[in-house]
Amino acid sequence: MLKRLLTLATNKIYNLPIVVLMPHSRCNCRCVMCDIWKANQNKKEISQEELQKHIQHFKQLKVREVVLSGGEALMHQNLWALCNLLRENGMKVTLLSTGLLLEKNASDILKNLDEVIVSIDGTAAVHDRIRNVPNGFSKIVDGVNKIKKIKPTFRITARSVLQRYNFHDFINTVTTAKDIGFDQVSFLAADVSTAAFNHTEQLSTERVGEIALSKEEALEFETIVERSFVELKHVYDSKFIAENPVKMRKIVQYYKAINGQGEFAGARCNAPWVSAVIESDGSVLPCFFHKAYGNIYQQDFLDLINSKEAISFRKNLNVSTDPICKMCVCSLHVGVNKMN
């Protein structure tokens, strides 16, 4: 509690519960709403030796969870050494994955990870169309089944980005996730306004139109979501869907706002004060969407997140009015009681 209060008073980070680490730059999908795969020829990895240099800072900041994002982290040539380094220093390790390599790595996943979150985009045909990977859906099913067969209690959840190609499949996505054997499913909108996920600074109007819902589609989506509150009431009540009705309506509002039908909902978020993102090239960001503070290949992690520039960024950031924050699709809020 004291360290949290010190952070709020000074904007200097004394306690950092979460680090998002992108250990590998390449991806094995070619998703319509993400451009990470377009830079696959520029392979970058964070080595065990490089991560070791910053572990002392993670421990000093009491990092309790490291989320492996990407690219596809399972393509890293020595991922399990990274996981072992983190876990032996008391940190939980969660993997965000495309799911294509789950079956192949099932045993190592169970030995080296605490949780897996798999991206799914709908029923089989919809998913494979969005991911541009033949039989990608069936590979996810096989991977989840193998892991659950070995260890039924291991937590595997699903995450789905709702956008133009799959919003109509929302209700089917929920039932599909349940049928596959996931422990929970969560949903978010597609980012169309920032350089995250290897996007350019400003997506063209044509590209935004390929991803975001049109005015008519946003209204259709609103009808589907409202219907889901009736048809899937027991699923919401059981928390199998991570978002409650209020949060689902915010996804609808996001797409309506893109089309000039009202304001963006904004988000309750304290990500820059409770987390950091380390990209595969060493860049350190306050979150997925804001610009980097610096690079771990040039400066120690602790010095980076508490540099003059980083402290100034947090001091001057108003989440409720900042244009990037107002359009954020993936907010994070960690309460004071979870800081220590």
Side-chain angles (χ1 to χ4, degrees):
M1 177 72 77
L2 177 59
K3 289 184 176 181
R4 175 63 177 141
L5 294 175
L6 280 171
T7 296
L8 290 173
T10 65
N11 288 293
K12 181 177 180 180
I13 302 295
Y14 291 91
N15 184 297
L16 194 75
I18 300 170
V19 168
V20 179
L21 176 65
M22 301 179 181
H24 186 85
S25 63
R26 296 176 63 225
C27 187
N28 51 9
C29 286
R30 299 168 64 89
C31 303
V32 298
M33 65 288 186
C34 174
D35 292 336
I36 289 175
W37 60 271
K38 292 183 178 180
N40 274 1
Q41 69 277 10
N42 303 322
K43 177 183 173 182
K44 297 183 180 70
E45 285 192 343
I46 293 179
S47 67
Q48 180 184 3
E49 293 73 24
E50 186 61 39
L51 184 61
Q52 178 70 65
K53 297 176 185 177
H54 306 283
I55 285 293
Q56 60 177 323
H57 303 136
F58 288 14
K59 292 177 68 176
Q60 186 175 338
L61 292 165
K62 298 190 183 302
V63 173
R64 57 178 170 81
E65 181 177 8
V66 175
V67 180
L68 303 177
S69 186
E72 174 54 70
L74 288 174
M75 295 172 72
H76 191 286
Q77 63 181 348
N78 201 15
L79 182 66
W80 309 126
L82 301 189
C83 294
N84 183 59
L85 178 60
L86 294 166
R87 294 181 89 203
E88 71 182 5
N89 281 283
M91 298 164 214
K92 174 184 175 182
V93 181
T94 298
L95 170 69
L96 303 182
S97 175
T98 64
L100 301 181
L101 299 173
L102 294 183
E103 184 178 23
K104 177 182 177 181
N105 292 281
S107 296
D108 285 320
I109 285 170
L110 291 170
K111 291 176 185 175
N112 296 284
L113 298 172
D114 297 284
E115 181 179 351
V116 173
I117 303 171
V118 180
S119 296
I120 65 166
D121 295 298
T123 47
V126 174
H127 177 89
D128 288 352
R129 180 190 178 197
I130 290 172
R131 297 272 150 178
N132 285 299
V133 176
N135 302 313
F137 182 87
S138 64
K139 291 177 182 177
I140 290 175
V141 173
D142 291 343
V144 173
N145 287 343
K146 184 170 182 179
I147 290 171
K148 286 292 188 179
K149 184 176 181 179
I150 299 171
K151 188 176 181 180
T153 59
F154 186 81
R155 183 169 172 80
I156 313 179
T157 63
R159 178 172 294 173
S160 183
V161 176
L162 293 168
Q163 34 85 18
R164 192 170 196 181
Y165 290 85
N166 69 347
F167 76 92
H168 58 278
D169 211 30
F170 165 59
I171 291 177
N172 291 333
T173 302
V174 175
T175 55
T176 295
K178 205 167 188 60
D179 290 343
I180 291 173
F182 286 111
D183 295 296
Q184 191 177 49
V185 62
S186 63
F187 295 92
L188 65 158
D191 173 59
V192 294
S193 62
T194 75
F197 315 113
N198 201 39
H199 290 159
T200 57
E201 286 286 349
Q202 185 66 52
L203 292 180
S204 67
T205 302
E206 180 181 3
R207 186 71 200 286
V208 171
E210 292 174 355
I211 301 170
L213 276 59
S214 67
K215 183 181 295 186
E216 293 75 21
E217 288 167 337
L219 293 174
E220 183 183 352
F221 180 44
E222 183 174 33
T223 300
I224 293 170
V225 168
E226 292 298 324
R227 190 174 82 237
S228 78
F229 300 148
V230 178
E231 295 183 10
L232 300 175
K233 183 180 184 304
H234 64 292
V235 185
Y236 282 103
D237 290 345
S238 71
K239 309 297 183 185
F240 180 76
I241 299 175
E243 289 70 31
N244 59 29
V246 172
K247 290 183 178 179
M248 287 305 306
R249 288 186 175 114
K250 284 186 176 181
I251 299 177
V252 173
Q253 186 175 347
Y254 170 82
Y255 283 119
K256 292 177 74 173
I258 285 177
N259 289 286
Q261 300 171 290
E263 300 293 324
F264 290 97
R268 184 184 181 216
C269 180
N270 59 2
W273 292 268
V274 299
S275 68
V277 175
I278 304 175
E279 294 190 329
S280 57
D281 66 356
S283 297
V284 178
L285 295 73
C287 69
F288 282 109
F289 308 104
H290 283 283
K291 293 182 179 179
Y293 299 137
N295 194 292
I296 57 171
Y297 291 110
Q298 300 165 0
Q299 198 173 355
D300 286 342
F301 178 74
L302 185 59
D303 292 338
L304 275 174
I305 64 165
N306 281 326
S307 66
K308 185 183 298 185
E309 293 78 13
I311 291 173
S312 176
F313 169 81
R314 290 187 289 269
K315 181 179 179 180
N316 293 295
L317 178 63
N318 186 330
V319 173
S320 63
T321 60
D322 182 84
I324 290 176
C325 294
K326 286 179 71 174
M327 294 183 68
C328 181
V329 299
C330 187
S331 60
L332 171 71
H333 188 273
V334 177
V336 174
N337 63 329
K338 295 183 178 180
M339 289 292 294
N340 298 305

